[in-house]
Amino acid sequence: MFQGGFRRNGREWFSSLPACLLLLAVVLFSTSSDIHNQMLRGGEQLWSGYYKLRVDPVQPTCDPNVDIDAAVAEKLAEDASDQDPMAALLGEAEVDPDEVRLSIERSVENCRQSYESFENLQGKVTPGLELYRTIELFIADMIAIGLESQRFILLILVMLCAVTATLTRHHIAMRAMETRLDYRVSHTLQTVANAMLLGSSLMFRQSSVAAESSISTADLMLHNLWVIGFAALTLASLFRLMRPPQDLQDGGNLNKAFLAVPLYTVMCLISGSYFALIGHASGIGIYLGNMMALSDMFLNVGLYVWVGMMLKQTRLATLVFNVFRPWRMPPEMLAVVAVLVAAVPTAYTGASGIFVIAAGAVIYSELRAAGARRHLALAATAMSGSLGVVLRPCLLVVVIAYLNREVTTDELFGWGIWVFVLTAVMFSGVALTVNRQSNFNLAPASEALAPMFSALKQLVPYVLVISAVVLFYRLALDVSMDEFSAPRLLPVIMLAILVYEHFSLGSKKARAQTGVNHQGLEHSVRSATNDTTAEIGALLLLLGLSVSIGGVIERSHLMEIFPQAFDSAWAAMMLMVVILVLLGMIMDAFGAIILVSATVASVAYASGIHPVHFWMVTLVAFELGYLSPPVALNHLLTRQVVGEAEVLAAQNEGGSYYQRHERIIMPLIAMGISLILVAFVPLIFYS
């Protein structure tokens, strides 16, 4: 009862609106940089020497009308009076009058040129230039504010959304809270973990203030915001513990109750206990503070989630599936098409887990509407983001290239295309051959082509809207759609699509023709942001604590028990595969990339494994880890977006062992075979 009321009222006013404003601010600040670059170029084209005209020219203070002969005589007289008598006795050379004259002549000439430049620049200062540079300097100030406030925006966004996720019971766990025992155990441990985070951040603040005699105001403010945020999170979890909802079942099992504890809580308890035992209680606060160094990356994650939630509010996914429906594809083939098509947006969202959160619900509902069985739809949803992480412009690949000078994005994306082809073939083969339960009776072309083209026509306006935004950025701001610009272009594209649907579907006539009950632009953005806040809170808090777990592994020197180099690249690769899959099981992609770059990568290079080959194996191994029990993060995210009821309904279905566990086994077979091939086949050619 309480939870629903909170979602309808408090969450929209106290969580979603600030989150929406923060995300829009990120887009605005990043776009203002592009605008400013264009204004500088435009200013130089309109007024030659604009870079000097950005501020009022200052009149020189030198004298351009100096009497050179008098100045030379005066200088020689000064030098003579200042000369040491002992130097004269020793016969040291006197000042050369010609050099003095040449020096003074050059100074006078420079002074005259300064006056000429001043008069020239002053003549160019017109009311039009003053207005132009006022706007340009205002945008420059906005960029400076944006760069300085990026860390604060991320911190506030994380804390705001984490509190929302706590109050709405939206954190990521192995299973949902069903009984009162589940609820008490989960929220008790959440409260303990949040109090641990609060204590660690307080200790980190105290040690930082004590260590630095003059800590900057910005750093002190960041420390204070961490403390305030974790205090609010602790109070939120304590409040939920004291106010259990009425819809919980009585009783419960203690072992199952522990599975209802959020993953971030488990990571916090493990890392916090370890740091406390080694006398480094501020450890969690330090590693969470390291998020600020990569604030732009984590803010991009939030933007991608927002983009996905706005995508859910549009008809775009439904219209894309409508293109394939006339062929009456069997569910297995449609699942393959869905996963292959999803690879492209996955590449723009940066990681498979982000894409599952962003678009998983759309893919699942469309597959179910097309007749796919629950297990097949769940398997395709969980794997929908796994194939595109090697394609341009995936943020993961950019982070790898940023942290490792041995590889470049061009090299990684170049080989990523072939890895994508391999994984696509493997998934297609498994889906269309293993446990195929449908007949392949496609509609004849004569019957399917006409409705397919009709469905394609409905996509044309969306293509035009997307093209218009991309072309505007390209022509007006000189920004192409790539791995660096995608985070700020995609929100604008989705907002443009929502605006288009607002006007094209808002009338009664349009609703009657399409059968779509469109609620309007404000409702769409508000609903998308409502979903975004809890998802960002659950995901970013998990990412932050994953970095802390990486710190535990790093500080415990666990990796040092392995050799620093292997005589055989094959032996090294076998160990690498095991380690990377295990890391994929327990850590998020970005935290794991940071840890691997600092530890495992150097061992692989020293053992003769090519850097590009190693990172291709790393990406595929991570994806297998995200699909592998006992954690299976992508399956947990799938359950989060499709609902616990759908997963339980699938688990209650009968059939053979494979049919009852198809959602887990099918992705494991496809990605497992792909990993073996990617890891060991290239070694044949260069090891």
Side-chain angles (χ1 to χ4, degrees), residues 116-189:
E116 289 177 2
S117 176
F118 167 72
E119 292 171 358
N120 182 44
L121 292 175
Q122 195 174 35
K124 293 181 180 180
V125 178
T126 62
L129 182 138
E130 291 180 340
L131 176 62
Y132 188 90
R133 75 180 181 187
T134 300
I135 298 173
E136 181 262 309
L137 291 173
F138 172 75
I139 296 175
D141 291 338
M142 282 189 60
I143 296 172
I145 294 172
L147 291 174
E148 181 63 29
S149 63
Q150 212 170 36
R151 297 178 299 167
F152 297 96
I153 292 175
L154 174 62
L155 202 160
I156 295 172
L157 188 67
V158 170
M159 292 293 98
L160 176 70
C161 296
V163 170
T164 302
T166 300
L167 292 174
T168 57
R169 293 186 292 163
H170 213 83
H171 284 296
I172 302 168
M174 299 289 288
R175 59 184 292 271
M177 290 178 280
E178 299 175 356
T179 66
R180 295 189 180 277
L181 181 61
D182 295 342
Y183 189 89
R184 286 198 297 271
V185 170
S186 177
H187 279 284
T188 298
L189 292 180

Side-chain angles (χ1 to χ4, degrees), residues 615-635:
W615 286 109
M616 288 294 103
V617 173
T618 300
L619 291 172
V620 179
F622 283 173
E623 292 308 318
L624 179 60
Y626 304 144
L627 295 165
S628 302
V631 179
L633 181 60
N634 280 10
H635 288 286

Side-chain angles (χ1 to χ4, degrees), residues 29-318:
F29 286 139
S30 59
T31 303
S32 63
S33 177
D34 302 322
I35 298 173
H36 184 249
N37 290 335
Q38 289 300 99
M39 290 198 71
L40 288 176
R41 294 192 191 117
E44 188 64 28
Q45 292 175 355
L46 292 172
W47 299 278
S48 179
Y50 175 75
Y51 290 98
K52 297 179 179 179
L53 291 168
R54 296 182 70 219
V55 294
D56 286 327
V58 179
Q59 182 173 352
T61 57
C62 59
D63 184 4
N65 301 313
V66 172
D67 186 336
I68 295 178
D69 293 332
V72 171
E74 183 179 353
K75 178 64 176 175
L76 291 174
E78 289 178 1
D79 290 342
S81 63
D82 293 338
Q83 188 177 17
D84 188 355
M86 185 62 66
L89 291 173
L90 294 174
E92 293 185 2
E94 298 180 354
V95 178
D96 186 350
D98 291 335
E99 291 184 359
V100 173
R101 175 176 290 277
L102 181 62
S103 175
I104 293 176
E105 287 176 347
R106 287 176 178 174
S107 298
V108 172
E109 179 62 26
N110 290 336
C111 181
R112 289 171 180 169
Q113 290 179 358
S114 298
Y115 269 94
E116 289 177 2
S117 176
F118 167 72
E119 292 171 358
N120 182 44
L121 292 175
Q122 195 174 35
K124 293 181 180 180
V125 178
T126 62
L129 182 138
E130 291 180 340
L131 176 62
Y132 188 90
R133 75 180 181 187
T134 300
I135 298 173
E136 181 262 309
L137 291 173
F138 172 75
I139 296 175
D141 291 338
M142 282 189 60
I143 296 172
I145 294 172
L147 291 174
E148 181 63 29
S149 63
Q150 212 170 36
R151 297 178 299 167
F152 297 96
I153 292 175
L154 174 62
L155 202 160
I156 295 172
L157 188 67
V158 170
M159 292 293 98
L160 176 70
C161 296
V163 170
T164 302
T166 300
L167 292 174
T168 57
R169 293 186 292 163
H170 213 83
H171 284 296
I172 302 168
M174 299 289 288
R175 59 184 292 271
M177 290 178 280
E178 299 175 356
T179 66
R180 295 189 180 277
L181 181 61
D182 295 342
Y183 189 89
R184 286 198 297 271
V185 170
S186 177
H187 279 284
T188 298
L189 292 180
Q190 283 185 60
T191 304
V192 173
N194 294 336
M196 189 177 291
L197 290 170
L198 174 60
S200 181
S201 61
L202 277 169
M203 293 181 184
F204 182 34
R205 180 187 183 281
Q206 292 175 355
S207 62
S208 298
V209 173
E212 301 181 31
S213 56
S214 58
I215 186 172
S216 67
T217 304
D219 289 340
L220 183 60
M221 189 178 298
L222 281 174
H223 283 298
N224 292 337
L225 286 175
W226 279 116
V227 172
I228 294 171
F230 285 130
L233 191 60
T234 304
L235 291 174
S237 57
L238 183 62
F239 177 79
R240 291 307 272 154
L241 176 63
M242 304 300 295
R243 294 286 299 270
Q246 302 298 319
D247 58 350
L248 296 173
Q249 304 172 14
D250 293 328
N253 181 283
L254 189 59
N255 292 330
K256 291 184 177 180
F258 283 118
L259 295 178
V261 178
L263 294 181
Y264 94 87
T265 300
V266 177
M267 291 181 176
C268 178
L269 294 174
I270 293 173
S271 57
S273 301
Y274 172 80
F275 287 128
L277 288 174
I278 66 172
H280 189 55
S282 60
I284 304 180
I286 293 173
Y287 280 99
L288 284 175
N290 290 342
M291 289 177 65
M292 299 298 102
L294 297 172
S295 57
D296 54 343
M297 182 186 77
F298 288 103
L299 285 173
N300 288 345
V301 171
L303 289 174
Y304 284 135
V305 174
W306 194 35
V307 166
M309 296 308 165
M310 285 192 285
L311 176 64
K312 285 172 57 178
Q313 299 297 320
T314 71
R315 299 179 63 224
L316 190 56
T318 302

Side-chain angles (χ1 to χ4, degrees), residues 473-588:
Y473 271 82
R474 182 69 183 88
L475 299 177
L477 302 179
D478 195 25
V479 175
S480 301
M481 186 73 158
D482 56 24
E483 58 267 33
F484 306 105
S485 62
R488 61 181 182 272
L489 259 71
L490 289 174
V492 179
I493 289 173
M494 294 312 305
L495 287 170
I497 290 176
L498 289 175
V499 170
Y500 161 74
E501 289 193 345
H502 174 75
F503 289 104
S504 63
L505 301 175
S507 65
K508 293 182 179 179
K509 181 179 179 180
R511 288 197 294 266
Q513 290 177 345
T514 60
V516 177
N517 185 21
H518 186 69
Q519 300 294 318
L521 177 62
E522 186 273 338
H523 179 272
S524 298
V525 175
R526 177 162 45 86
S527 298
T529 311
N530 287 344
D531 295 334
T532 301
T533 49
E535 300 295 354
I536 288 179
L539 187 60
L540 288 185
L541 201 57
L542 182 61
L543 294 184
L545 270 300
S546 180
V547 173
S548 181
I549 286 290
V552 171
I553 297 174
E554 186 178 2
R555 278 183 164 268
S556 64
H557 305 292
L558 188 62
M559 295 299 177
E560 293 183 5
I561 66 176
F562 301 104
Q564 296 305 299
F566 289 79
D567 296 331
S568 169
W570 292 81
M573 182 59 76
M574 284 190 283
L575 180 62
M576 293 294 122
V577 166
V578 174
I579 292 175
L580 293 172
V581 172
L582 289 175
L583 288 177
M585 288 182 181
I586 62 174
M587 294 185 69
D588 80 279

